[in-house]
Amino acid sequence: MPRDYRLLVPREWFRIDLMQDRWRAQLKTYVDRQAEGRRVPAELQQDVWATLRNTAEAGRARGAMEFFLLTTTRNGGLPASLLVSMMPLGNTPADPEKYAAWLELREPEGPGRRQVSVVDLPAGAAVRVLGATTLSVHALMPGGVGYLTLSFSAPLTGMSGPMEQLCDAIAGSLRWVV
């Protein structure tokens, strides 16, 4: 089992360590900095804070360890984000091909259906799930003990073109430290 992982995230992404008690203060600092010098309405700033806090809390409840944020707008709206989580196997198949098939079966039919595929990363086989505004990469951890999940979200720009390429590049930088 890996003791740790390495992930290259561009410098302009703000990192919040969800394993530390001070994560809420880090998140507040981020929201305040984004509003600084801009005419961001207090209501929008409060909405962004509440949405990001709720995302972080829900992520922590599901094993999230890190939360990265990238401002993509000038008006202080919701940023692009990356939530890094460790997911033990449980009922999840340990084989990425079987996991992808399992996820594919759970995707609803229709235009909003996400694309599920298996990709080879330098860190090993991973399941990639692409939606209109989200991209999740589930990398099987060495020893098959679970998946490290990289959950990207780009609510304003969408997950296509340069944003999709950036998220794929970040996922491609994943390395295990043993």
Side-chain angles (χ1 to χ4, degrees):
M1 176 170 164
R3 285 193 314 251
D4 206 355
Y5 61 90
R6 295 277 182 264
L7 193 63
L8 298 176
V9 179
R11 212 175 318 188
E12 51 279 353
W13 289 62
F14 187 90
R15 180 183 180 269
I16 297 167
D17 185 347
L18 295 176
M19 305 298 284
Q20 301 291 326
D21 289 336
R22 67 180 191 276
W23 71 266
R24 281 182 187 82
Q26 291 176 328
L27 185 56
K28 183 77 171 100
T29 297
Y30 170 81
V31 172
D32 290 347
R33 280 187 191 164
Q34 296 314 305
E36 209 171 83
R38 299 178 181 148
R39 293 189 177 151
V40 177
E43 187 176 315
L44 175 60
Q45 191 173 347
Q46 183 59 34
D47 287 350
V48 168
W49 156 249
T51 300
L52 294 176
R53 183 199 62 226
N54 292 343
T55 300
E57 286 175 349
R60 283 191 61 181
R62 293 187 318 272
M65 301 170 294
E66 294 183 287
F67 193 24
F68 293 90
L69 301 164
L70 172 67
T71 300
T72 55
T73 64
R74 297 196 186 281
N75 70 357
L78 282 176
S81 64
L82 163 59
L83 201 57
V84 181
S85 308
M86 189 136 356
M87 184 177 74
L89 281 183
N91 295 331
T92 308
D95 175 85
E97 293 285 345
K98 289 179 181 169
Y99 186 34
W102 185 77
L103 289 173
E104 184 78 32
L105 286 174
R106 283 151 183 76
E107 277 300 311
E109 293 295 329
R113 185 178 177 91
R114 298 179 305 169
Q115 300 170 1
V116 180
S117 60
V118 176
V119 295
D120 285 322
L121 299 177
V127 178
R128 183 180 187 270
V129 183
L130 177 65
T133 60
T134 61
L135 170 64
S136 295
V137 177
H138 308 272
L140 184 63
M141 296 186 320
V145 296
Y147 288 90
L148 186 74
T149 300
L150 309 177
S151 301
F152 297 94
S153 176
L156 299 178
T157 61
M159 193 55 68
S160 63
M163 183 57 74
E164 181 182 358
Q165 293 167 1
L166 174 61
C167 295
D168 279 334
I170 293 170
S173 75
L174 177 64
R175 302 290 189 274
W176 303 114
V177 178
V178 290

